[in-house]
Amino acid sequence: MKKILLLSFLISSFIPGYAQRAMHRPVVSLIPVPASMVTNQEVFELKGRAVIHINDSRLKEPAEQLAARIRTGGGFKVNLDESKITPAHALSLSLVKDPSIAKEGYKLKVTSKGISLTATEPAGIFYGIQTLLQLFPAEILSKTNTDAEEWYIPGVSIEDHPRFAWRGVMLDVARHFFTKAEVKDFIDQMVQFKFNTLHLHLTDDQGWRIEIKSLPKLTEVGAWRAPRTGRWGEFSKPTPDEPKTYGGFYTQEDMKEIIKYAQDRFVTIVPEIDVPGHSLAAVASYPELTCTTDSVYQVNAGERFMIWPGNGTFYGTIDNTLCPANEKVYVFLDKVFTEIAALFPCEYIHMGGDECYKGYWEKSEACKALVQKEGLKDMHELQSYFVKRIEKIINSKGKKMMGWDEILEGGLAPGASVMSWRGMKGGKEAARAQHPVVMSPNEYAYVDLYQGDPVAEPVTYSMVRLNKAYQFDPVPDSVDAKYILGGQCNLWSERLYTMRQAQYMLWPRGLATAESVWSPAGTKNWDNFVKRTEHQFTRFDVAEVKYSRSMYDPIFTAKKDASGNLQIILATEIKDLTIYYCFDETLPDNFYPAYTTPLSVPKDAANLKVVTYRGKTQVGKIITMPVAEMKKRAKIN
Ligand code: ACM
């Protein structure tokens, strides 16, 4: 040890300062990838005290946020300087007139002499700061003082701007409720990757989460349900007198606080009130809003009531819809949207419109009469009639309406924007009809789905591996890009009981979405993204943010060979990994057989166990795959 210390002392005393700094030069690893970047060999050193200089008072808030990180994470002193002349060796944030900087864009230059960040608007400075934070050591994300002596920031010259104006994440706060503090923390995480839109799914069958002062029962009744823990969808139905103790809601004051917090971070909150389906919480609060009157409605506690037989169709076993033939519904929604429009500065109100089971409408005399009176063809056209009336209400409050792609069915409302979730199809159709579109296709952007094999992951529905999420491009072929506002990943929370689990599902797939909506088209490189994602993992560790390492785990394919026997094929989505395996019920490591060719199962073996390594380092988790499960997938009896 002494020898090593002596050697490093000798090296540091004889090599020039330049080379010494180069020795400390940290890696440059940014997500999302900037539009253009040139690295230089210089290093900016931060020691003792940092000076952040601003040339405009509008930069005070972002500068304070940067200062807080440097103070908290590193324990450095930070001065905010607003003098006319930029001090030497400062972190300088300046608003400038520069026509070469696009909207939300910025220029960032780091040299040994100083850091210069310029933009034409505060949002650009904010995104430049997010890039700068990624150039700082991970300790800048630490929630506690790491007492750093010196930080080194690598020399770069970056010119950057986003590809899309809508860079969204949807958080479902209806199925499970997340507190005001958790939502703020969520915003802090998403902005690090330059997301600028937080779509809050505020209402659903399992909860109504926003105070509507003129309709108090929505939160007195609709925000609460019977508590359940375990497998979502398999819970027992609450009895009518069972205490409804799980839930919560945001008062309008809470929401104003969240909105202000978001605005200070250049995030727009998009409120979603999901109607006419997914409305059981509203119906439990005001039962007169449905077409049916004979049920005792209760906020759903996670018991199954919508049935998907597997052919893309579904039906409900309880009426969770608002009745389009009931004028009281429009009076109700007028009150709701009046308060929502007054509360949220966002130009859009999202009215849901998805997965509305229309079986109860078909049986309703009032709906049948309305269909006849309006000359409508079917129940899709009846939903379209409803959506068009909602659009008029929303427009009358000075807002634009957005809905899930089901609002295309039966005819799109004239000024509607569409959020495409059942793949890109609805988005393409809407864009061709010259309506604005946000792409959030389930096959790429549903981050509540499996990210690794279901035998080794928390239960959910279908699969979006990281590699698939990374392939997301919001502009499909043959569509005019000007109609695509951007893209978004969606975090549905049926099975997200805690914010830790929400983080596990969002990261790293949210990184893939971030790159899909910020970085220029045609810049994707999977192997390089994986390296940068791994770099982020170390930062998530310091920031105490949970993330999934499932990208390291093998992909299992089960096949029946010509003789009817099971063959198991293993693969990884990341290169340079080795899979070790065994059938002997022990725990494999890198001294076990390495997978090279499809495996035949030894007679009587019950489980295949696998683990992945990179070199001598275990990177994946040990996964136990039952042979019976493989046989089932290969359709072997
Ligand atoms: C949706 O996933 N039902 C929009």
Side-chain angles (χ1 to χ4, degrees), residues 143-164:
K143 291 187 167 66
T144 51
N145 185 354
T146 59
D147 264 330
E149 281 186 7
E150 200 165 11
W151 275 352
Y152 301 93
I153 295 108
V156 288
S157 213
I158 292 174
E159 296 192 15
D160 199 13
H161 62 272
R163 182 174 171 206
F164 295 104

mmCIF file with all atom_site columns, all heavy atoms in Angstrom, residues 143-164:
data_model
loop_
_atom_site.group_PDB
_atom_site.id
_atom_site.type_symbol
_atom_site.label_atom_id
_atom_site.label_alt_id
_atom_site.label_comp_id
_atom_site.label_asym_id
_atom_site.label_entity_id
_atom_site.label_seq_id
_atom_site.pdbx_PDB_ins_code
_atom_site.Cartn_x
_atom_site.Cartn_y
_atom_site.Cartn_z
_atom_site.occupancy
_atom_site.B_iso_or_equiv
_atom_site.pdbx_formal_charge
_atom_site.auth_seq_id
_atom_site.auth_comp_id
_atom_site.auth_asym_id
_atom_site.auth_atom_id
_atom_site.pdbx_PDB_model_num
ATOM 1   N N   . LYS A 1 143 ? -28.283 12.354 -1.464  1.00 0.00 ? 143 LYS A N   1
ATOM 2   C CA  . LYS A 1 143 ? -29.211 13.085 -0.581  1.00 0.00 ? 143 LYS A CA  1
ATOM 3   C C   . LYS A 1 143 ? -28.507 13.568 0.685   1.00 0.00 ? 143 LYS A C   1
ATOM 4   O O   . LYS A 1 143 ? -29.055 14.334 1.455   1.00 0.00 ? 143 LYS A O   1
ATOM 5   C CB  . LYS A 1 143 ? -30.392 12.183 -0.200  1.00 0.00 ? 143 LYS A CB  1
ATOM 6   C CG  . LYS A 1 143 ? -31.306 11.896 -1.384  1.00 0.00 ? 143 LYS A CG  1
ATOM 7   C CD  . LYS A 1 143 ? -32.552 11.152 -0.928  1.00 0.00 ? 143 LYS A CD  1
ATOM 8   C CE  . LYS A 1 143 ? -33.627 11.111 -1.990  1.00 0.00 ? 143 LYS A CE  1
ATOM 9   N NZ  . LYS A 1 143 ? -33.299 10.338 -3.176  1.00 0.00 ? 143 LYS A NZ  1
ATOM 10  N N   . THR A 1 144 ? -27.290 13.038 0.901   1.00 0.00 ? 144 THR A N   1
ATOM 11  C CA  . THR A 1 144 ? -26.528 13.474 2.076   1.00 0.00 ? 144 THR A CA  1
ATOM 12  C C   . THR A 1 144 ? -25.145 13.948 1.626   1.00 0.00 ? 144 THR A C   1
ATOM 13  O O   . THR A 1 144 ? -24.654 13.549 0.561   1.00 0.00 ? 144 THR A O   1
ATOM 14  C CB  . THR A 1 144 ? -26.352 12.310 3.072   1.00 0.00 ? 144 THR A CB  1
ATOM 15  O OG1 . THR A 1 144 ? -25.838 11.188 2.342   1.00 0.00 ? 144 THR A OG1 1
ATOM 16  C CG2 . THR A 1 144 ? -27.664 11.930 3.731   1.00 0.00 ? 144 THR A CG2 1
ATOM 17  N N   . ASN A 1 145 ? -24.534 14.761 2.460   1.00 0.00 ? 145 ASN A N   1
ATOM 18  C CA  . ASN A 1 145 ? -23.239 15.360 2.132   1.00 0.00 ? 145 ASN A CA  1
ATOM 19  C C   . ASN A 1 145 ? -22.149 14.291 2.023   1.00 0.00 ? 145 ASN A C   1
ATOM 20  O O   . ASN A 1 145 ? -21.901 13.562 2.986   1.00 0.00 ? 145 ASN A O   1
ATOM 21  C CB  . ASN A 1 145 ? -22.916 16.362 3.250   1.00 0.00 ? 145 ASN A CB  1
ATOM 22  C CG  . ASN A 1 145 ? -21.651 17.130 2.958   1.00 0.00 ? 145 ASN A CG  1
ATOM 23  O OD1 . ASN A 1 145 ? -20.953 16.860 1.996   1.00 0.00 ? 145 ASN A OD1 1
ATOM 24  N ND2 . ASN A 1 145 ? -21.372 18.098 3.814   1.00 0.00 ? 145 ASN A ND2 1
ATOM 25  N N   . THR A 1 146 ? -21.489 14.226 0.873   1.00 0.00 ? 146 THR A N   1
ATOM 26  C CA  . THR A 1 146 ? -20.416 13.241 0.699   1.00 0.00 ? 146 THR A CA  1
ATOM 27  C C   . THR A 1 146 ? -19.055 13.858 1.059   1.00 0.00 ? 146 THR A C   1
ATOM 28  O O   . THR A 1 146 ? -18.026 13.208 0.901   1.00 0.00 ? 146 THR A O   1
ATOM 29  C CB  . THR A 1 146 ? -20.363 12.712 -0.749  1.00 0.00 ? 146 THR A CB  1
ATOM 30  O OG1 . THR A 1 146 ? -20.153 13.824 -1.627  1.00 0.00 ? 146 THR A OG1 1
ATOM 31  C CG2 . THR A 1 146 ? -21.629 11.980 -1.131  1.00 0.00 ? 146 THR A CG2 1
ATOM 32  N N   . ASP A 1 147 ? -19.072 15.135 1.492   1.00 0.00 ? 147 ASP A N   1
ATOM 33  C CA  . ASP A 1 147 ? -17.833 15.823 1.886   1.00 0.00 ? 147 ASP A CA  1
ATOM 34  C C   . ASP A 1 147 ? -16.745 15.709 0.827   1.00 0.00 ? 147 ASP A C   1
ATOM 35  O O   . ASP A 1 147 ? -15.603 15.327 1.122   1.00 0.00 ? 147 ASP A O   1
ATOM 36  C CB  . ASP A 1 147 ? -17.306 15.234 3.207   1.00 0.00 ? 147 ASP A CB  1
ATOM 37  C CG  . ASP A 1 147 ? -17.773 16.073 4.380   1.00 0.00 ? 147 ASP A CG  1
ATOM 38  O OD1 . ASP A 1 147 ? -17.951 17.288 4.178   1.00 0.00 ? 147 ASP A OD1 1
ATOM 39  O OD2 . ASP A 1 147 ? -17.973 15.500 5.472   1.00 0.00 ? 147 ASP A OD2 1
ATOM 40  N N   . ALA A 1 148 ? -17.093 16.025 -0.391  1.00 0.00 ? 148 ALA A N   1
ATOM 41  C CA  . ALA A 1 148 ? -16.130 15.893 -1.491  1.00 0.00 ? 148 ALA A CA  1
ATOM 42  C C   . ALA A 1 148 ? -15.032 16.937 -1.344  1.00 0.00 ? 148 ALA A C   1
ATOM 43  O O   . ALA A 1 148 ? -15.287 18.059 -0.915  1.00 0.00 ? 148 ALA A O   1
ATOM 44  C CB  . ALA A 1 148 ? -16.851 16.086 -2.814  1.00 0.00 ? 148 ALA A CB  1
ATOM 45  N N   . GLU A 1 149 ? -13.800 16.537 -1.705  1.00 0.00 ? 149 GLU A N   1
ATOM 46  C CA  . GLU A 1 149 ? -12.709 17.521 -1.664  1.00 0.00 ? 149 GLU A CA  1
ATOM 47  C C   . GLU A 1 149 ? -12.656 18.298 -2.958  1.00 0.00 ? 149 GLU A C   1
ATOM 48  O O   . GLU A 1 149 ? -12.456 19.502 -2.987  1.00 0.00 ? 149 GLU A O   1
ATOM 49  C CB  . GLU A 1 149 ? -11.386 16.801 -1.449  1.00 0.00 ? 149 GLU A CB  1
ATOM 50  C CG  . GLU A 1 149 ? -11.221 16.451 0.003   1.00 0.00 ? 149 GLU A CG  1
ATOM 51  C CD  . GLU A 1 149 ? -9.877  15.873 0.306   1.00 0.00 ? 149 GLU A CD  1
ATOM 52  O OE1 . GLU A 1 149 ? -9.005  15.853 -0.578  1.00 0.00 ? 149 GLU A OE1 1
ATOM 53  O OE2 . GLU A 1 149 ? -9.720  15.410 1.442   1.00 0.00 ? 149 GLU A OE2 1
ATOM 54  N N   . GLU A 1 150 ? -12.813 17.570 -4.033  1.00 0.00 ? 150 GLU A N   1
ATOM 55  C CA  . GLU A 1 150 ? -12.638 18.167 -5.353  1.00 0.00 ? 150 GLU A CA  1
ATOM 56  C C   . GLU A 1 150 ? -13.513 17.399 -6.343  1.00 0.00 ? 150 GLU A C   1
ATOM 57  O O   . GLU A 1 150 ? -13.577 16.169 -6.283  1.00 0.00 ? 150 GLU A O   1
ATOM 58  C CB  . GLU A 1 150 ? -11.172 18.024 -5.762  1.00 0.00 ? 150 GLU A CB  1
ATOM 59  C CG  . GLU A 1 150 ? -10.751 18.953 -6.822  1.00 0.00 ? 150 GLU A CG  1
ATOM 60  C CD  . GLU A 1 150 ? -9.224  19.030 -6.918  1.00 0.00 ? 150 GLU A CD  1
ATOM 61  O OE1 . GLU A 1 150 ? -8.534  18.205 -6.287  1.00 0.00 ? 150 GLU A OE1 1
ATOM 62  O OE2 . GLU A 1 150 ? -8.754  19.900 -7.629  1.00 0.00 ? 150 GLU A OE2 1
ATOM 63  N N   . TRP A 1 151 ? -14.165 18.126 -7.232  1.00 0.00 ? 151 TRP A N   1
ATOM 64  C CA  . TRP A 1 151 ? -14.925 17.477 -8.302  1.00 0.00 ? 151 TRP A CA  1
ATOM 65  C C   . TRP A 1 151 ? -14.315 17.877 -9.642  1.00 0.00 ? 151 TRP A C   1
ATOM 66  O O   . TRP A 1 151 ? -13.886 19.021 -9.821  1.00 0.00 ? 151 TRP A O   1
ATOM 67  C CB  . TRP A 1 151 ? -16.392 17.918 -8.253  1.00 0.00 ? 151 TRP A CB  1
ATOM 68  C CG  . TRP A 1 151 ? -17.234 17.104 -7.305  1.00 0.00 ? 151 TRP A CG  1
ATOM 69  C CD1 . TRP A 1 151 ? -16.885 15.979 -6.637  1.00 0.00 ? 151 TRP A CD1 1
ATOM 70  C CD2 . TRP A 1 151 ? -18.583 17.382 -6.917  1.00 0.00 ? 151 TRP A CD2 1
ATOM 71  N NE1 . TRP A 1 151 ? -17.919 15.520 -5.864  1.00 0.00 ? 151 TRP A NE1 1
ATOM 72  C CE2 . TRP A 1 151 ? -18.980 16.371 -6.017  1.00 0.00 ? 151 TRP A CE2 1
ATOM 73  C CE3 . TRP A 1 151 ? -19.515 18.377 -7.232  1.00 0.00 ? 151 TRP A CE3 1
ATOM 74  C CZ2 . TRP A 1 151 ? -20.248 16.325 -5.443  1.00 0.00 ? 151 TRP A CZ2 1
ATOM 75  C CZ3 . TRP A 1 151 ? -20.774 18.337 -6.666  1.00 0.00 ? 151 TRP A CZ3 1
ATOM 76  C CH2 . TRP A 1 151 ? -21.140 17.314 -5.775  1.00 0.00 ? 151 TRP A CH2 1
ATOM 77  N N   . TYR A 1 152 ? -14.319 16.946 -10.556 1.00 0.00 ? 152 TYR A N   1
ATOM 78  C CA  . TYR A 1 152 ? -13.765 17.190 -11.890 1.00 0.00 ? 152 TYR A CA  1
ATOM 79  C C   . TYR A 1 152 ? -14.887 17.045 -12.912 1.00 0.00 ? 152 TYR A C   1
ATOM 80  O O   . TYR A 1 152 ? -15.604 16.043 -12.915 1.00 0.00 ? 152 TYR A O   1
ATOM 81  C CB  . TYR A 1 152 ? -12.653 16.182 -12.208 1.00 0.00 ? 152 TYR A CB  1
ATOM 82  C CG  . TYR A 1 152 ? -11.520 16.236 -11.214 1.00 0.00 ? 152 TYR A CG  1
ATOM 83  C CD1 . TYR A 1 152 ? -11.500 15.391 -10.101 1.00 0.00 ? 152 TYR A CD1 1
ATOM 84  C CD2 . TYR A 1 152 ? -10.483 17.154 -11.383 1.00 0.00 ? 152 TYR A CD2 1
ATOM 85  C CE1 . TYR A 1 152 ? -10.472 15.465 -9.181  1.00 0.00 ? 152 TYR A CE1 1
ATOM 86  C CE2 . TYR A 1 152 ? -9.452  17.225 -10.448 1.00 0.00 ? 152 TYR A CE2 1
ATOM 87  C CZ  . TYR A 1 152 ? -9.452  16.383 -9.353  1.00 0.00 ? 152 TYR A CZ  1
ATOM 88  O OH  . TYR A 1 152 ? -8.444  16.449 -8.443  1.00 0.00 ? 152 TYR A OH  1
ATOM 89  N N   . ILE A 1 153 ? -15.012 18.048 -13.751 1.00 0.00 ? 153 ILE A N   1
ATOM 90  C CA  . ILE A 1 153 ? -16.061 18.017 -14.778 1.00 0.00 ? 153 ILE A CA  1
ATOM 91  C C   . ILE A 1 153 ? -15.366 18.004 -16.134 1.00 0.00 ? 153 ILE A C   1
ATOM 92  O O   . ILE A 1 153 ? -14.537 18.875 -16.424 1.00 0.00 ? 153 ILE A O   1
ATOM 93  C CB  . ILE A 1 153 ? -17.005 19.235 -14.623 1.00 0.00 ? 153 ILE A CB  1
ATOM 94  C CG1 . ILE A 1 153 ? -17.742 19.127 -13.282 1.00 0.00 ? 153 ILE A CG1 1
ATOM 95  C CG2 . ILE A 1 153 ? -18.038 19.304 -15.733 1.00 0.00 ? 153 ILE A CG2 1
ATOM 96  C CD1 . ILE A 1 153 ? -17.302 20.078 -12.258 1.00 0.00 ? 153 ILE A CD1 1
ATOM 97  N N   . PRO A 1 154 ? -15.680 17.006 -16.978 1.00 0.00 ? 154 PRO A N   1
ATOM 98  C CA  . PRO A 1 154 ? -14.936 16.853 -18.230 1.00 0.00 ? 154 PRO A CA  1
ATOM 99  C C   . PRO A 1 154 ? -15.243 17.968 -19.232 1.00 0.00 ? 154 PRO A C   1
ATOM 100 O O   . PRO A 1 154 ? -16.373 18.453 -19.298 1.00 0.00 ? 154 PRO A O   1
ATOM 101 C CB  . PRO A 1 154 ? -15.422 15.495 -18.762 1.00 0.00 ? 154 PRO A CB  1
ATOM 102 C CG  . PRO A 1 154 ? -16.757 15.287 -18.127 1.00 0.00 ? 154 PRO A CG  1
ATOM 103 C CD  . PRO A 1 154 ? -16.716 15.985 -16.806 1.00 0.00 ? 154 PRO A CD  1
ATOM 104 N N   . GLY A 1 155 ? -14.237 18.340 -20.007 1.00 0.00 ? 155 GLY A N   1
ATOM 105 C CA  . GLY A 1 155 ? -14.388 19.390 -21.012 1.00 0.00 ? 155 GLY A CA  1
ATOM 106 C C   . GLY A 1 155 ? -15.250 18.937 -22.175 1.00 0.00 ? 155 GLY A C   1
ATOM 107 O O   . GLY A 1 155 ? -15.024 17.870 -22.757 1.00 0.00 ? 155 GLY A O   1
ATOM 108 N N   . VAL A 1 156 ? -16.250 19.737 -22.506 1.00 0.00 ? 156 VAL A N   1
ATOM 109 C CA  . VAL A 1 156 ? -17.135 19.414 -23.635 1.00 0.00 ? 156 VAL A CA  1
ATOM 110 C C   . VAL A 1 156 ? -17.625 20.700 -24.273 1.00 0.00 ? 156 VAL A C   1
ATOM 111 O O   . VAL A 1 156 ? -17.603 21.768 -23.656 1.00 0.00 ? 156 VAL A O   1
ATOM 112 C CB  . VAL A 1 156 ? -18.408 18.633 -23.200 1.00 0.00 ? 156 VAL A CB  1
ATOM 113 C CG1 . VAL A 1 156 ? -18.120 17.214 -22.803 1.00 0.00 ? 156 VAL A CG1 1
ATOM 114 C CG2 . VAL A 1 156 ? -19.171 19.366 -22.120 1.00 0.00 ? 156 VAL A CG2 1
ATOM 115 N N   . SER A 1 157 ? -18.093 20.554 -25.476 1.00 0.00 ? 157 SER A N   1
ATOM 116 C CA  . SER A 1 157 ? -18.786 21.632 -26.172 1.00 0.00 ? 157 SER A CA  1
ATOM 117 C C   . SER A 1 157 ? -20.051 21.000 -26.740 1.00 0.00 ? 157 SER A C   1
ATOM 118 O O   . SER A 1 157 ? -19.970 20.110 -27.590 1.00 0.00 ? 157 SER A O   1
ATOM 119 C CB  . SER A 1 157 ? -17.867 22.099 -27.289 1.00 0.00 ? 157 SER A CB  1
ATOM 120 O OG  . SER A 1 157 ? -18.035 23.439 -27.492 1.00 0.00 ? 157 SER A OG  1
ATOM 121 N N   . ILE A 1 158 ? -21.198 21.428 -26.217 1.00 0.00 ? 158 ILE A N   1
ATOM 122 C CA  . ILE A 1 158 ? -22.457 20.768 -26.597 1.00 0.00 ? 158 ILE A CA  1
ATOM 123 C C   . ILE A 1 158 ? -23.425 21.802 -27.159 1.00 0.00 ? 158 ILE A C   1
ATOM 124 O O   . ILE A 1 158 ? -23.563 22.902 -26.599 1.00 0.00 ? 158 ILE A O   1
ATOM 125 C CB  . ILE A 1 158 ? -23.088 20.070 -25.363 1.00 0.00 ? 158 ILE A CB  1
ATOM 126 C CG1 . ILE A 1 158 ? -22.230 18.887 -24.922 1.00 0.00 ? 158 ILE A CG1 1
ATOM 127 C CG2 . ILE A 1 158 ? -24.520 19.610 -25.648 1.00 0.00 ? 158 ILE A CG2 1
ATOM 128 C CD1 . ILE A 1 158 ? -22.683 18.214 -23.635 1.00 0.00 ? 158 ILE A CD1 1
ATOM 129 N N   . GLU A 1 159 ? -24.079 21.439 -28.257 1.00 0.00 ? 159 GLU A N   1
ATOM 130 C CA  . GLU A 1 159 ? -25.196 22.242 -28.759 1.00 0.00 ? 159 GLU A CA  1
ATOM 131 C C   . GLU A 1 159 ? -26.382 21.299 -28.845 1.00 0.00 ? 159 GLU A C   1
ATOM 132 O O   . GLU A 1 159 ? -26.302 20.257 -29.503 1.00 0.00 ? 159 GLU A O   1
ATOM 133 C CB  . GLU A 1 159 ? -24.874 22.831 -30.132 1.00 0.00 ? 159 GLU A CB  1
ATOM 134 C CG  . GLU A 1 159 ? -23.725 23.805 -30.052 1.00 0.00 ? 159 GLU A CG  1
ATOM 135 C CD  . GLU A 1 159 ? -23.550 24.639 -31.315 1.00 0.00 ? 159 GLU A CD  1
ATOM 136 O OE1 . GLU A 1 159 ? -24.478 24.674 -32.158 1.00 0.00 ? 159 GLU A OE1 1
ATOM 137 O OE2 . GLU A 1 159 ? -22.475 25.237 -31.435 1.00 0.00 ? 159 GLU A OE2 1
ATOM 138 N N   . ASP A 1 160 ? -27.462 21.663 -28.190 1.00 0.00 ? 160 ASP A N   1
ATOM 139 C CA  . ASP A 1 160 ? -28.508 20.660 -27.996 1.00 0.00 ? 160 ASP A CA  1
ATOM 140 C C   . ASP A 1 160 ? -29.896 21.290 -28.028 1.00 0.00 ? 160 ASP A C   1
ATOM 141 O O   . ASP A 1 160 ? -30.065 22.454 -27.658 1.00 0.00 ? 160 ASP A O   1
ATOM 142 C CB  . ASP A 1 160 ? -28.268 19.984 -26.624 1.00 0.00 ? 160 ASP A CB  1
ATOM 143 C CG  . ASP A 1 160 ? -28.975 18.651 -26.481 1.00 0.00 ? 160 ASP A CG  1
ATOM 144 O OD1 . ASP A 1 160 ? -29.459 18.112 -27.507 1.00 0.00 ? 160 ASP A OD1 1
ATOM 145 O OD2 . ASP A 1 160 ? -29.037 18.139 -25.346 1.00 0.00 ? 160 ASP A OD2 1
ATOM 146 N N   . HIS A 1 161 ? -30.860 20.506 -28.452 1.00 0.00 ? 161 HIS A N   1
ATOM 147 C CA  . HIS A 1 161 ? -32.272 20.922 -28.414 1.00 0.00 ? 161 HIS A CA  1
ATOM 148 C C   . HIS A 1 161 ? -33.116 19.665 -28.563 1.00 0.00 ? 161 HIS A C   1
ATOM 149 O O   . HIS A 1 161 ? -32.639 18.644 -29.067 1.00 0.00 ? 161 HIS A O   1
ATOM 150 C CB  . HIS A 1 161 ? -32.582 21.914 -29.533 1.00 0.00 ? 161 HIS A CB  1
ATOM 151 C CG  . HIS A 1 161 ? -32.383 21.323 -30.894 1.00 0.00 ? 161 HIS A CG  1
ATOM 152 N ND1 . HIS A 1 161 ? -31.171 21.355 -31.543 1.00 0.00 ? 161 HIS A ND1 1
ATOM 153 C CD2 . HIS A 1 161 ? -33.233 20.643 -31.697 1.00 0.00 ? 161 HIS A CD2 1
ATOM 154 C CE1 . HIS A 1 161 ? -31.286 20.726 -32.697 1.00 0.00 ? 161 HIS A CE1 1
ATOM 155 N NE2 . HIS A 1 161 ? -32.523 20.276 -32.819 1.00 0.00 ? 161 HIS A NE2 1
ATOM 156 N N   . PRO A 1 162 ? -34.387 19.715 -28.143 1.00 0.00 ? 162 PRO A N   1
ATOM 157 C CA  . PRO A 1 162 ? -35.201 18.499 -28.221 1.00 0.00 ? 162 PRO A CA  1
ATOM 158 C C   . PRO A 1 162 ? -35.777 18.234 -29.604 1.00 0.00 ? 162 PRO A C   1
ATOM 159 O O   . PRO A 1 162 ? -36.015 19.161 -30.374 1.00 0.00 ? 162 PRO A O   1
ATOM 160 C CB  . PRO A 1 162 ? -36.341 18.793 -27.242 1.00 0.00 ? 162 PRO A CB  1
ATOM 161 C CG  . PRO A 1 162 ? -36.450 20.275 -27.190 1.00 0.00 ? 162 PRO A CG  1
ATOM 162 C CD  . PRO A 1 162 ? -35.071 20.822 -27.458 1.00 0.00 ? 162 PRO A CD  1
ATOM 163 N N   . ARG A 1 163 ? -36.036 16.954 -29.854 1.00 0.00 ? 163 ARG A N   1
ATOM 164 C CA  . ARG A 1 163 ? -36.692 16.591 -31.112 1.00 0.00 ? 163 ARG A CA  1
ATOM 165 C C   . ARG A 1 163 ? -38.189 16.908 -31.030 1.00 0.00 ? 163 ARG A C   1
ATOM 166 O O   . ARG A 1 163 ? -38.788 17.300 -32.008 1.00 0.00 ? 163 ARG A O   1
ATOM 167 C CB  . ARG A 1 163 ? -36.463 15.087 -31.359 1.00 0.00 ? 163 ARG A CB  1
ATOM 168 C CG  . ARG A 1 163 ? -37.066 14.601 -32.652 1.00 0.00 ? 163 ARG A CG  1
ATOM 169 C CD  . ARG A 1 163 ? -36.704 13.151 -32.943 1.00 0.00 ? 163 ARG A CD  1
ATOM 170 N NE  . ARG A 1 163 ? -37.471 12.654 -34.067 1.00 0.00 ? 163 ARG A NE  1
ATOM 171 C CZ  . ARG A 1 163 ? -37.772 11.392 -34.285 1.00 0.00 ? 163 ARG A CZ  1
ATOM 172 N NH1 . ARG A 1 163 ? -37.333 10.471 -33.432 1.00 0.00 ? 163 ARG A NH1 1
ATOM 173 N NH2 . ARG A 1 163 ? -38.478 11.028 -35.330 1.00 0.00 ? 163 ARG A NH2 1
ATOM 174 N N   . PHE A 1 164 ? -38.792 16.700 -29.854 1.00 0.00 ? 164 PHE A N   1
ATOM 175 C CA  . PHE A 1 164 ? -40.244 16.899 -29.708 1.00 0.00 ? 164 PHE A CA  1
ATOM 176 C C   . PHE A 1 164 ? -40.551 17.841 -28.551 1.00 0.00 ? 164 PHE A C   1
ATOM 177 O O   . PHE A 1 164 ? -39.848 17.849 -27.535 1.00 0.00 ? 164 PHE A O   1
ATOM 178 C CB  . PHE A 1 164 ? -40.952 15.568 -29.437 1.00 0.00 ? 164 PHE A CB  1
ATOM 179 C CG  . PHE A 1 164 ? -40.865 14.606 -30.574 1.00 0.00 ? 164 PHE A CG  1
ATOM 180 C CD1 . PHE A 1 164 ? -39.998 13.527 -30.506 1.00 0.00 ? 164 PHE A CD1 1
ATOM 181 C CD2 . PHE A 1 164 ? -41.630 14.779 -31.718 1.00 0.00 ? 164 PHE A CD2 1
ATOM 182 C CE1 . PHE A 1 164 ? -39.897 12.630 -31.557 1.00 0.00 ? 164 PHE A CE1 1
ATOM 183 C CE2 . PHE A 1 164 ? -41.535 13.888 -32.782 1.00 0.00 ? 164 PHE A CE2 1
ATOM 184 C CZ  . PHE A 1 164 ? -40.669 12.814 -32.701 1.00 0.00 ? 164 PHE A CZ  1
#
